[in-house]
Amino acid sequence: MGRRWIRWSHKRGMRSSLIGLVTFACVFLKLGLGLGPYSGENTPPMYGDYEAQRHWMEITVNLPFNEWYTYDPQYWGLDYPPLTAYVSWICGIVAHSINPSWVALDSSRGIETAGSKLFMRGSVIAFDTLVYVPALLLFSRMWFVTRSKRTQDLAFLHLMLHPALLLVDFGHFQYNSVMLGLMVMALNCFAIGYDLAGAFFFVLSLGFKQMALYYAPAVGSFLLAKCVLLGPKEGGRLFVRLGLITIATFTVLFIPWIPPFSSSTRAILVPISRIFPFARGLFEDKVANFWCASNIVMKWRKLAAQAILVKAAAVLTLLGFLPSVAVIGKVAWELKTLIPSEAEEGSKLDDKQPSNFSNTPILPLLPYALLNSSMSFFLFSFQVHEKTILLPLMPLILLFAGATPDSEVFQWGALGSNVAVFSMWPLLKKEGLALQYFALTLLWNRLIGYNPLKIMSTFYSMKSFVHVLSAGAYMAIIFLHLLEPIIIPPARYPDLFPVLNVLVSTPVFVCLWLWSIKCCIQVSWAVTGPSGAGAESIDRPRFSSIVSDTNERPSSFRAPISRGVVADRVRTISLGPAHGKRARRSSTHSVPGSTSALPSSVSIFRGNTTVNDRMPDS
Amino acid sequence: MGYLILSTVIKVLLFPAYRSTDFEVHRNWLAITHSLPISQWYYDATSQWTLDYPPFFAYFEKILSIPAAAIDARIVDLNNLNYDSWSVIVYQRSTVIITELVLGAALLKFIRSAVDPPTQRIISASLFLHPGFLIIDHIHFQYNGFMFGILLWSILMARNGKKLMSGILFAVLLNFKHIYMYLAPAYFIYLLRSFCLSPSGQVEIKNFLALANAVIVVFGVSLAPFALTGQIQQLLSRLFPFTRGLNHAYWAPNAWALVTAADRILLKYVKSTGKHIPVNLAGVASTSRGLVGDTVFAVLPNVKPIHTFTITIALQSIILIKLWFHPTYKSFVTALTLCGYSSYLFGWHVHEKAVLLILVPLSLLAAERHAYFRTFVIATVAGVFSLFPLLFTPAESVVEVVYSIVWFAMIYLPLSKRVYEFPKSLSYVILDIIEKIYLGGFLVLQIFVALFPILSRRKGADASGMEFLPLMVTSVYCSIGMVWGFMRLIFIYLHEDTAYQGQLSTIQ
């Protein structure tokens, strides 16, 4: 449906207004969702996440900085990093100017008037539109630069209407889109080589919600790999700059709690201990991760002490994201040994555009690495909440957005996101968002042209592993949904359905995690060649620029041969079919035989991570 | 199919939205038809929301009440007033969505065998997703989608040459909701001229008898149970309560709104200058009561039902004469729109929801020529905007505004390119600019209406008595557009042969 609609509107000359329309339509949808109930509506004395966010506005606007993290921690004390606090502060100021009773200290607790509800809903939508939507728009433009305008618009549409985030942010009520939006902005910056800006945005994302830490291993190893790749001199300089930017941003974020502004040096510990509460249990409620799922068989909390479990979780998480980190490191190392001199030469030649170059060979790995690391955190780490699935979901749907419907990435993406939404079902049902859950899931599947029923009915074809897995998962999901209204769980197992939900979701997430590792390795092969160290005898891939080709292409075409070769070699992987054409075209410009660089198109974003070598006559 | 899913999703999201008293009205009717014998339907007054729709609608409620009783017996409990549990909300809202499929089916049929299917698809989609239906049916709560579905089926039958069927469907529709009488004159003349008379003027006695009998049968089925038990008098008194005032609670944006506004301004003028003009004291009292209740003019002469009736009939007869001589499909649809339009503008106690009677048939003409399209744009924007005050809760008001903007952009962008015509002379250019300024004014108006409560609260107590100002401004501003749209359309219609030939002219 989405594809057809985009085609229709492009033909009807609505191309230029399409983005505005989609954004506006989404605002409508979000408002519509906002009419529904939210977390903790009408449930005194503690209410829910909605009241938590509102309460933070109340305390930030009424209290000085040093009391933010200490004021009555029993009643929704602030336990997110400072950027959340600042955002709440801004909202609080606005709310105060419209209607002071919405954020009056203490007396506004549990306020549920229509006006305040509209304001709260509006604030989420406003921040979403200011941060997340532009980030997605830039993403669709920057990461799919070689693809057609239609594909870019379609990717944007798919990303905008993703039900999981809509349900959590605009139904349940949270500000996840700000964190995710900042993270996507960081990715956009990495894509065009502005690593420093990327690091800045990543720190902001961390500063909004500590959950962004799930991405840290991938981002960190990516940036380190880039430093390695640039060589000791350039790389060292970049490393120092990155470090400075990161520290500076953190300092600015925490400045009210750092000595000149606070009374003591220990003040900084207050927000830190609030943000990382290790004192809580292994998991809360029922969440579709390893610990909760295996808890049915092994009663972890009886078997081991809290401290041991924390360590075990940390070790497992580490093992979980190690593959992607290792792969990034390996790729960087191999590329470094393959083209040591040329890379440096290239860096000299390309001094005018120093950083949008040579980071890019490992860039295609980044989304998979993000998926891998965040999924491993979700599956194995400590104190995971079911809404946290949004984090692994983000890189997955970013990958998904540009995929063609018959590709493997598309299948995994659709499966992953549907199961992710399903994994939040017990939460949504509890909050009275069941209708919205079904409606949005239906809409999105229809929009992307994906039919779970069709997949179920063709499972016997055994087309691929993901096909069979999807069929199985959907059967289980539909079966559970049908069963739930009919069967009342026995008194002994009141949590029967949440547990079954976990048992369905966890295997799928584990498979996704394994798949992300597989993809990391495949992409790394595509980047360095199948056996890596084979050096000169191997067909090295040729990378085409990820940066806007309008700027890049003419210069590289007209460049002298020596420079053209270098540029070709270090330019990175494209994201689509247009690339193949360009590779062929540019290959006619390079002199056959004078170089070992052979054209090969690597199109990871279409899901077929194959190296398509075309041998020129050498 | 895509549209269906999209619209259903939107409507499902609106389940928890604000409900007007019409929701309880319909719930009460479910209870009446379910728990009382048919002889009591039009006598029951347990709730203040008595049954005041024609019998087919009562039968329709009877059918709906059967599953309702199975789902939750408390829905159909007559004394369970203001029942609003989740079960009744979901049930009633779902029935609106499901019965609206009639509209969807009719619109689909319109696309098939259309002169220009891609354009008709846009129009059909626009009607199915019309913000008017969204506001009135899915938030406010009524069954207009279902009944306009029947109307469109009837128009479709007229287009396909099945005029007998068209007449029958319209008769059925009249027995669902008598407000469609606004459109009846156009139907009457059209069917009489093109179906009961041959083109040369000979009476087609067979057709005439068939139509007459069919209509009598429809009315017979509808009214017989009540006629046999001698309730016709009671039924009519419920259907036509002539005790109401000229304007509805808040003025529907019609000609009387303009007249009322002029009266209020004159009164201010008289008061400030102290001129000796006879002032009707009841009218002065009427102004201070804001907009609620009966309207009595202070300066201008009062309007009686007979006046409104005369003006409406006079305007309609001009249109009908034209229709008599040009009984083509396009002429019929235009005349239908104009009949509804003149009743809306000059009728007695017109409700703002009746604007759909204009907008729906007018949509069918939207892609004809630029002139039609521009009329459609002005009437639609003014008409939809005039519906906004129906929803006064903050969240729903934002929802309706945003939705209407998206909807309008989706219609305007593709259609405006399709029908664009180069302006013929300077006067057309000036007109075009003025109309665009008028349309732009709606944005300003919306901002004013949205900010007014905040501003007046800042000012404090001196704003009391002004709380109706936004409503009044809205009503007057919309009525300018509505009246202008009417003048445009009637001009286009009367000049049809010479100046305006569109694609629908090919249908005989």
Side-chain angles (χ1 to χ4, degrees), chain B residues 109-366:
Chain B
K109 291 264 182 191
F110 258 102
I111 300 174
R112 279 180 218 153
S113 73
V115 183
D116 177 14
T119 308
Q120 181 61 44
R121 188 169 295 130
I122 300 174
I123 293 175
S124 284
S126 89
L127 276 173
F128 194 61
L129 299 170
H130 202 288
F133 289 136
L134 196 85
I135 294 170
I136 301 180
D137 281 13
H138 300 284
I139 300 179
H140 181 87
F141 200 83
Q142 275 191 351
Y143 288 93
N144 288 296
F146 169 59
M147 283 179 285
F148 275 97
I150 302 175
L151 178 68
L152 284 169
W153 270 105
S154 169
I155 297 177
L156 178 74
M157 288 297 138
R159 192 187 80 179
N160 295 352
K162 297 172 184 163
K163 284 165 188 159
L164 179 61
M165 200 58 210
S166 172
I168 295 173
L169 278 171
F170 187 71
V172 170
L173 182 64
L174 272 182
N175 281 295
F176 266 104
K177 194 172 177 180
H178 47 301
I179 196 169
Y180 292 94
M181 284 208 307
Y182 282 6
L183 306 177
Y187 260 97
F188 179 72
I189 296 293
Y190 176 65
L191 291 177
L192 189 67
R193 179 67 189 88
S194 71
F195 186 66
C196 302
L197 297 181
S198 68
S200 57
Q202 297 288 312
V203 179
E204 300 265 2
I205 194 73
K206 211 174 96 192
N207 285 348
F208 178 77
L209 284 179
L211 184 63
N213 283 329
V215 172
I216 288 168
V217 166
V218 169
F219 275 86
V221 169
S222 161
L223 297 174
F226 304 95
L228 292 178
T229 48
Q231 297 182 61
I232 290 294
Q233 196 65 34
Q234 168 71 10
L235 199 158
L236 288 180
S237 73
R238 281 280 171 88
L239 293 192
F240 301 100
F242 267 112
T243 50
R244 299 181 186 177
L246 174 66
N247 293 329
H248 189 67
Y250 124 82
W251 316 341
N254 60 9
W256 303 125
L258 284 180
V259 175
T260 316
D263 179 65
R264 301 288 145 93
I265 292 164
L266 277 177
L267 178 65
K268 279 255 158 79
Y269 175 75
V270 168
K271 272 185 182 167
S272 61
T273 56
K275 284 214 173 109
H276 291 285
I277 296 171
V279 172
N280 183 345
L281 287 177
V284 179
S286 166
T287 58
S288 66
R289 265 185 293 141
L291 295 168
V292 184
D294 196 3
T295 317
V296 182
F297 293 146
V299 184
L300 297 175
N302 261 326
V303 177
K304 294 203 172 64
I306 188 73
H307 301 143
T308 68
F309 199 63
T310 320
I311 297 174
T312 313
I313 294 290
L315 280 170
Q316 287 190 347
S317 48
I318 301 173
I319 300 155
L320 296 175
I321 289 167
K322 168 84 182 178
L323 178 63
W324 180 266
F325 291 106
H326 297 273
T328 62
Y329 166 69
K330 184 181 164 188
S331 168
F332 164 61
V333 177
T334 321
L336 199 64
T337 313
L338 281 170
C339 272
Y341 219 145
S342 47
S343 310
Y344 178 83
L345 285 186
F346 300 102
W348 183 260
H349 194 83
V350 173
H351 201 282
E352 65 273 16
K353 282 175 274 191
V355 78
L356 281 178
L357 282 174
I358 304 167
L359 301 185
V360 171
L362 187 57
S363 296
L364 294 175
L365 298 165

Side-chain angles (χ1 to χ4, degrees), chain A residues 205-226:
Chain A
S205 173
L206 262 176
F208 191 81
K209 257 190 164 180
Q210 63 274 35
M211 236 79 95
L213 213 56
Y214 286 19
Y215 296 131
V219 174
S221 56
F222 168 77
L223 289 175
L224 270 182
K226 181 156 181 209

